[in-house]
Amino acid sequence: VYTTTTGALASTVNSLVPGDSILVTGGLKMFGGLLEIDPVNSVTVLAGNRPLPTPVAFNSANFTNAYAE
């Protein structure tokens, strides 16, 4: 989650850590060919300290296949 917002929303975003499950609400728009949420209306932490998936190593030759998943 990236935001340039200040105040309560920024405080919530800045307190997020790996393993947090969050719900983000707001409007959708296209930016640089990607869909983004803007403006963000709220960020709610649903659960914390959730287990992270095991990282998967892959070489650059397989980048396209990994990105497609």
Side-chain angles (χ1 to χ4, degrees):
V1 175
Y2 172 79
T3 183
T4 58
T5 304
T6 59
L9 181 60
S11 175
T12 300
V13 170
N14 291 335
S15 69
L16 296 174
V17 295
D20 285 350
S21 292
I22 62 172
L23 173 66
V24 181
T25 62
L28 296 176
K29 73 175 190 179
M30 294 297 292
F31 179 78
L34 299 173
L35 189 61
E36 70 176 16
I37 302 172
D38 183 32
V40 172
N41 295 329
S42 68
V43 176
T44 304
V45 177
L46 302 175
N49 199 29
R50 297 179 57 89
L52 298 175
T54 303
V56 176
F58 60 93
N59 61 37
S60 60
N62 296 329
F63 174 77
T64 301
N65 293 337
Y67 186 72
E69 293 178 8

